[in-house]
Amino acid sequence: MRVPKQLETKAVHSGEPHINGAVATPIFQSAMFETFGESNYHNVRYIRLNNTPNHLALQEKLAALENAEAALVTASGMAAITTTLLSILSSGDHLLVQEELYGGTHDFLTKDFPALGLTCDFIDGNDPNSWESKLKPRTKALYVETFANPLMVVPDLKAVVQFARAHKLVTMIDNTFASPVNYRPPEHGFDLSLHSCTKYLNGHSDLVAGAVIGRADLVQKVKMKLDHLGGTLDPHTAYLLQRGIKTLHLRVKYQNESALKIAKFLESHSAIAKVNYPGLENHPQHQRARELFNGCSGMLSFFLKGGLSAAEALLKNVTLPIIAPSLGGVETLLTRPATTSHAGLSPEDRKKMGISDGLIRMSVGIESTDEIIEDLDRALKA
Ligand code: PLP
């Protein structure tokens, strides 16, 4: 069989074992499988050990999408993030981490790290000169997000890889917002790329899943930790995710284009104070985004001139976008990060991160762009 080369072909054909000629990989709803003399516990075929035919097929597809050596699927994005951190770091170790972060990750680092004997320091992802002073004798890894949620900050990703190599740190990047369509971290020297597959990879807002993609030795290390911690994806969800991924490129390319048009519309609207979208020329990291990414995703955020009350009125008056957390699905979603993704942070921490109560985050779906713009325009006038 020919090996697919392009992402579009891989999304459809990679990791499709055609078991018994089945064009779609069926659901293997069996907790355990007959043994064939496996001598290693981690190779015993059992759902929790992440090695059923559904896991293996999906992992092959995910690794192919990012041109990586290996991949592992997990029960959620947070299972991918926490299990990876706990695999790479041991008690006494230190992590450097970008200051703008998904709220769940921020919570884990600030609330759970101390009891585990782990420490971290936050860095400005756009000021590489300030990183060295934060290094400690036991700094082991550097963690960033491709587009930091929700302000769409793009850290200096090239400098992250160079700095980590110079100081022998493992690099981890949460690539959820970009998806493999817009950025493939292993191609740029990142050791591990993490995903909430709940978002773009699945794309249909009907499951929760995660992935760790990258260097085979590190992915194997994470698999062994996951085997113990038990954050395993079940075969039915693996099947749904595999199905969702087949249309990833169609959805994300459309969402890239639609989000840019919506960002331009909002930017020119008299009720809007500021739009955060790296595809806009006035975004501070626009040039970097153009150089590194195939597109800037369907995610954007904006501040209204009328502050919190105007934001609440907008959310009340739109009729097509759904007011709900999460992102990356086929339907356009609006949310106020202060009450959803970043609600776990203290008001001071949110302020430091630039997340005011009136900030609105938008996940652009695959509806007609014109119809979404019409609806926003009407709701902003109302
Ligand atoms: N990373 C990012 C950037 C996210 O936005 C989220 C969830 O919103 C996660 C990780 C966590 O993923 P999950 O909800 O699948 O655990």
Side-chain angles (χ1 to χ4, degrees):
M1 194 179 148
R2 283 181 56 184
V3 179
K5 289 203 263 312
Q6 302 295 328
L7 181 131
E8 294 82 350
T9 318
K10 289 174 178 178
V12 176
H13 289 295
S14 295
E16 296 295 338
H18 294 185
I19 296 164
N20 287 342
V23 172
T25 307
I27 305 170
F28 284 81
Q29 197 67 53
S30 179
M32 66 292 268
F33 292 73
E34 284 183 75
T35 47
F36 293 105
E38 291 89 351
S39 53
N40 181 327
Y41 168 71
H42 294 280
N43 294 340
V44 170
R45 292 188 309 148
Y46 181 59
I47 291 177
R48 180 173 45 75
L49 300 177
N50 307 294
N51 54 16
T52 71
N54 289 110
H55 289 102
L56 299 181
L58 188 49
Q59 287 166 179
E60 191 181 325
K61 196 186 280 296
L62 286 163
L65 287 179
E66 290 201 348
N67 275 326
E69 291 173 5
L72 176 73
V73 287
T74 60
S76 68
M78 280 311 291
I81 292 166
T82 55
T83 309
T84 300
L85 288 168
L86 295 176
S87 310
I88 303 300
L89 306 173
S90 341
S91 181
D93 285 347
H94 174 252
L95 174 75
L96 286 183
V97 56
Q98 178 192 355
E99 56 202 357
E100 302 90 354
L101 271 189
Y102 167 60
T105 311
H106 188 275
D107 256 22
F108 180 65
L109 298 179
T110 51
K111 302 198 173 123
D112 297 315
F113 254 36
L116 297 163
L118 299 169
T119 54
C120 67
D121 268 301
F122 290 95
I123 55 167
D124 176 346
N126 277 301
D127 184 12
N129 292 332
S130 66
W131 301 344
E132 192 151 354
S133 65
K134 303 257 171 101
L135 283 172
K136 298 215 163 123
R138 290 207 38 193
T139 308
K140 290 283 162 61
L142 208 168
Y143 185 108
V144 293
E145 294 184 0
T146 320
F147 296 112
N149 179 13
L151 296 174
M152 301 301 284
V153 173
V154 184
D156 191 340
L157 299 176
K158 276 191 183 167
V160 166
V161 171
Q162 281 165 5
F163 180 84
R165 287 206 173 136
H167 297 282
K168 298 197 168 37
L169 310 178
V170 174
T171 39
M172 306 176 199
I173 180 165
D174 183 333
N175 198 38
T176 300
F177 271 39
S179 92
V181 175
N182 289 325
Y183 189 63
R184 292 166 294 284
E187 289 179 359
H188 299 269
F190 277 92
D191 296 313
L192 291 171
S193 162
L194 310 173
H195 284 271
S196 167
C197 304
T198 314
K199 315 293 175 353
Y200 286 108
L201 279 158
N202 179 56
H204 292 75
S205 310
D206 52 7
L207 61 79
V208 171
V212 182
I213 307 175
R215 266 173 50 188
D217 59 331
L218 297 179
V219 170
Q220 178 61 14
K221 212 171 166 184
V222 182
K223 176 202 156 0
M224 287 164 80
K225 186 67 79 183
L226 189 69
D227 289 352
H228 292 152
L229 296 179
T232 298
L233 194 67
D234 76 279
H236 183 247
T237 312
Y239 163 86
L240 287 174
L241 175 55
Q242 178 133 349
R243 182 163 88 156
I245 291 175
K246 289 179 191 174
T247 55
L248 174 73
H249 50 293
L250 300 176
R251 290 183 277 105
V252 172
K253 283 181 193 172
Y254 184 87
Q255 285 162 314
N256 285 339
E257 283 175 24
S258 196
L260 181 58
K261 286 186 196 150
I262 292 170
K264 285 185 175 163
F265 158 76
L266 288 171
E267 192 183 34
S268 65
H269 200 286
S270 58
I272 302 294
K274 186 173 178 222
V275 182
N276 305 303
Y277 188 67
L280 293 177
E281 281 172 24
N282 66 5
H283 186 280
Q285 292 98 38
H286 175 66
Q287 279 312 328
R288 179 177 301 149
R290 279 187 62 151
E291 192 192 322
L292 292 178
F293 307 140
N294 296 332
C296 287
S297 90
M299 296 303 297
L300 56 102
S301 61
F302 52 96
F303 299 98
L304 285 98
K305 285 186 184 153
L308 177 59
S309 56
E312 281 177 331
L314 175 67
L315 297 186
K316 211 167 99 223
N317 289 322
V318 286
T319 57
L320 287 175
I322 300 167
I323 314 308
S326 200
L327 61 118
V330 292
E331 54 289 289
T332 296
L333 302 176
L334 290 175
T335 179
R336 273 202 304 118
T339 60
T340 52
S341 58
H342 292 70
L345 270 65
S346 67
E348 298 75 49
D349 280 345
R350 279 202 297 273
K351 202 167 167 206
K352 253 193 262 160
M353 287 168 79
I355 304 169
S356 69
D357 286 350
L359 178 73
I360 292 185
R361 191 185 77 181
M362 184 169 197
S363 169
V364 175
I366 61 166
E367 306 95 330
S368 147
T369 313
D370 289 345
E371 224 171 325
I372 295 291
I373 288 178
E374 256 171 51
D375 195 38
L376 286 170
D377 195 27
R378 192 196 39 74
L380 285 167
K381 279 181 189 139

